[in-house]
Amino acid sequence: MSRPMKLRFAPSPTGFLHVGGARTAIFNLLHARRHGGIMALRIEDTDVERSKQHHADQILASLKWLGCEWDEGPIYQSDRLDRYRERVEELVSKGLAYRCYCSVDDLEAERRAAEEKGEAFRYPGRCRTRTDEPAGQPSAVRIKVPPEAIEFDDLIRGHVRFEAEQIDDFVLLRSDGNPTYHLSVVVDDVDMGITHVARGDDHLSNTPKHVVLFRAFGVEPPTFAHLPLILGSDKKRLSKRTGATSTEEYQKMGILPQALFNFLMLLGWAPGGDREIISRDDATAIFDLSDVNKSAAVFDAEKLAWVNGQYLMAMSAAEIHPHLAEFLPEAPVLDAKLEKLLELYKIRSRTLVELAAQVRDYYISDTAVTYEDEAVKKHLKGDDLATRMRDLRETLAGDAAFTIESTEAAVRALGEAKGLGAGKYIHPLRVALVGRVSSPPIFDVAVGLGRNSTLARLDELIRRIDAGNLAPQVL
RNA sequence: GGCGCAUUCGUCUAGGGGUCUAGGACGUCGCCCUCUCACGGCGGUAACACGGGUUCGAAUCCCGUAUGCGCUACCA
């Protein structure tokens, strides 16, 4: 019998989609797509206290944004509580699980006592052989763990072995009737026909418990693949202290979904051939969970920014625009002007936020340009500044063609005629047009801005020089 | 504490006994291009955690140590 390959991503709706979770989803998806398998989505919301519907919605939205689609689900575990109880009853009636009447407080006290003695506490199985059923007393259900070592072959870690003593009779059903994670996970993986479980490394130690449960249900456990964790720059599990942890934050920082996807994919996996930028489709053709690295990787936001820049550079203005819209409400429509600007600025930006900030200069009023201090100090100096700017204004105004070539030729000719370097005109012009020390080639800027705005901004500079005040007056 | 897992440049990685005086990428530094900034090009810096084995030969295999991380719940 060969079941179809099926993988799943199973987040808990206790917060936004963590980048570690996003990577897990990506690896699951790539593996499924590579091998023609099915990708399922399951929301693990059995922790009633912490699970929130708006978090689940948020996670779903982030997955879609990232381009991680799924074929099945989402299935909510909270809809399946009866099923979990049913399967537990089955185990109890078969003698594979039993009711435990030990109180949580007592167990807690025992645990503390063991801890003080420096010993590991494991449930001793007191209720295993109990035959009475104290009426009116709450009971949990524990599984009867067979006294044998558990071994399995992990796609990433290789052969892993846990001794029998390491696994105690863990709880399946809480005394309030709710399933524990271990129970719901295994029941669902069985019911859904999951063949491959790729999840975070933090679950490796839980896996023997799951194997015990699969066997109790008479099912062959799926193939496991435990992904190494993503670390922060402090080498500890990525946390808010060391950087943004949710995909949403990266979206807000102006990271493109395909860039995040690409970057996350590179954490623990390499496409070979010294490639760094690789499309999802190309990755799908060669990805395999067994090629994923064993060791944890540090999340390097610098490299993410570089990857994002690579994507921006390779995209056309039309491709960028939809992503840019939310960052640049000033320019909701992609017209010829914006298209030109995006072409000029995409290679100068690593994020959509940076891109928007630069392009925005072209959408403000011509009298509202602010000059950077550094720009003023470096380029708006010299006794002849006002004269140079008037000459420059006149020269540009006289250029009927107003193309990149014609404006450049005109300004360079002006410099020569006055016996001055072209820089004496070019640098102040840059300040007049965008207020910054740097910009795309200045004649591209002038043409991108258009003849009217170029002249208006020069007029404004001249006005400010005459007024002896270089700050914008109207706001 | 117990158990599990991991350990190649600052970071992501290639490498799976000889081709490694260890390759690529990000970052960083220098040079070139140049109206500035980017882009691009060229070049530099920088790593096999440590100690034992196995072997003619080890980054690659084995053992130990150290360090880090994870789990150790009627959380997931």
Side-chain angles (χ1 to χ4, degrees):
Chain A
M1 57 135 222
S2 79
R3 291 179 293 171
M5 179 185 282
K6 191 164 172 184
L7 293 92
R8 55 29 171 217
F9 175 57
S12 299
T14 53
F16 296 136
L17 179 62
H18 190 275
V19 289
R23 189 188 57 155
T24 302
I26 288 170
F27 283 173
N28 268 290
L29 180 69
L30 288 175
H31 194 81
R33 291 290 176 260
R34 163 73 194 286
H35 299 283
I38 299 163
M39 176 70 186
L41 185 65
R42 183 169 78 218
I43 304 296
E44 309 215 323
D45 57 351
T46 51
D47 182 340
V48 199
E49 291 287 300
R50 297 193 299 153
S51 297
K52 296 282 178 288
Q53 183 59 45
H54 71 269
H55 285 140
D57 295 340
Q58 196 64 244
I59 288 171
L60 261 37
S62 287
L63 285 171
K64 284 180 190 158
W65 173 75
L66 241 196
C68 287
E69 77 282 355
W70 54 92
D71 309 310
E72 223 179 85
I75 289 167
Y76 285 80
Q77 293 193 319
S78 54
D79 291 338
R80 294 172 44 79
L81 299 178
D82 290 342
R83 175 60 178 160
Y84 305 133
R85 292 178 193 127
E86 178 184 311
R87 294 241 71 182
V88 164
E89 277 316 313
E90 221 177 292
L91 293 180
V92 172
S93 63
K94 284 185 183 164
L96 295 170
Y98 58 91
R99 293 194 192 287
C100 171
Y101 297 89
C102 299
S103 83
V104 176
D105 291 345
D106 289 351
L107 290 172
E108 188 50 41
E110 286 178 53
R111 175 169 301 112
R112 255 200 300 276
E115 225 165 79
E116 270 169 38
K117 282 194 286 181
E119 291 167 8
F121 173 78
R122 286 189 189 82
Y123 182 67
R126 256 196 309 279
C127 298
R128 249 189 188 217
T129 52
R130 191 164 183 156
T131 47
D132 59 325
E133 288 180 28
Q137 209 167 310
S139 68
V141 177
R142 290 181 184 271
I143 186 160
K144 212 178 269 180
V145 176
E148 57 193 30
I150 299 294
E151 304 182 50
F152 57 93
D153 289 298
D154 189 285
L155 236 35
I156 296 172
R157 304 347 262 230
H159 194 77
V160 186
R161 177 190 168 97
F162 290 85
E163 298 303 329
E165 311 80 66
Q166 293 306 315
I167 315 156
D168 67 355
D169 286 356
F170 57 96
V171 171
L172 300 178
L173 205 62
R174 290 188 260 264
S175 46
D176 65 2
N178 283 315
T180 60
Y181 160 73
H182 304 300
L183 202 228
S184 54
V185 132
V186 174
V187 169
D188 284 343
D189 284 343
V190 170
D191 285 354
M192 292 165 74
I194 299 300
T195 61
H196 296 255
V197 171
R199 76 232 295 197
D201 198 311
D202 45 342
H203 289 293
L204 188 58
S205 305
N206 290 324
T207 306
K209 294 180 179 178
H210 299 171
V211 171
V212 167
L213 252 180
F214 277 107
R215 290 185 183 158
F217 286 128
V219 172
E220 194 54 36
T223 302
F224 293 100
H226 285 93
L227 306 167
L229 261 23
I230 294 182
L231 274 24
S233 48
D234 57 355
K235 300 266 192 166
K236 294 216 164 58
R237 197 176 181 145
L238 186 64
S239 72
K240 291 179 182 73
R241 285 184 57 82
T242 49
T245 55
S246 77
T247 51
E248 235 196 18
E249 286 172 88
Y250 288 98
Q251 182 177 4
K252 284 183 185 143
M253 285 162 58
I255 299 295
L256 294 158
Q258 55 271 53
L260 219 210
F261 192 108
N262 191 145
F263 173 74
L264 253 17
M265 193 161 71
L266 256 25
L267 254 31
W269 182 75
D274 291 334
R275 274 195 295 177
E276 304 284 335
I277 302 301
I278 177 170
S279 72
R280 200 191 114 162
D281 286 349
D282 288 348
T284 298
I286 54 174
F287 183 84
D288 195 282
L289 279 171
S290 61
D291 293 330
V292 173
N293 273 169
K294 292 177 173 56
S295 52
V298 173
F299 189 100
D300 181 3
E302 279 296 315
K303 184 152 182 179
L304 203 213
W306 173 77
V307 170
N308 202 59
Q310 293 295 305
Y311 274 85
L312 280 177
M313 247 185 277
M315 285 162 79
S316 69
E319 287 167 331
I320 293 173
H321 186 65
H323 293 101
L324 185 69
E326 64 176 299
F327 297 98
L328 192 69
E330 292 91 335
V333 180
L334 182 66
D335 53 16
K337 172 182 174 183
L338 183 55
E339 189 171 339
K340 202 172 294 175
L341 290 172
L342 292 185
E343 287 302 333
L344 285 176
Y345 279 101
K346 67 182 190 184
I347 62 165
R348 270 166 262 263
S349 311
R350 299 204 304 176
T351 67
L352 293 166
V353 169
E354 282 178 23
L355 181 58
Q358 300 184 87
V359 170
R360 185 144 36 230
D361 290 342
Y362 296 76
Y363 289 86
I364 58 177
S365 142
D366 292 327
T367 54
V369 178
T370 341
Y371 306 153
E372 288 179 342
D373 287 346
E374 192 192 348
V376 171
K377 266 169 62 183
K378 260 173 123 165
H379 303 303
L380 299 189
K381 58 184 185 188
D383 296 339
D384 61 337
L385 178 65
T387 313
R388 264 156 39 214
M389 293 305 99
R390 285 198 167 85
D391 292 344
L392 179 62
R393 201 270 178 210
E394 197 178 324
T395 299
L396 288 173
D399 177 13
F402 214 79
T403 64
I404 294 169
E405 295 73 23
S406 70
T407 48
E408 173 156 16
V411 171
R412 289 197 185 280
L414 169 65
E416 251 175 70
K418 300 291 181 186
L420 292 168
K424 290 283 184 199
Y425 296 95
I426 285 172
H427 296 301
L429 175 59
R430 189 184 327 279
V431 181
L433 299 189
V434 294
R436 302 174 190 267
V437 285
S438 67
S439 80
I442 194 60
F443 303 105
D444 288 72
V445 169
V447 172
L449 212 43
R451 182 201 187 87
N452 290 344
S453 274
T454 296
L455 296 179
R457 289 184 184 199
L458 259 179
D459 285 339
E460 174 65 13
L461 170 59
I462 292 165
R463 207 215 88 231
R464 291 184 200 177
I465 293 170
D466 290 347
N469 179 8
L470 294 171
Q473 243 173 33
V474 282
L475 272 180

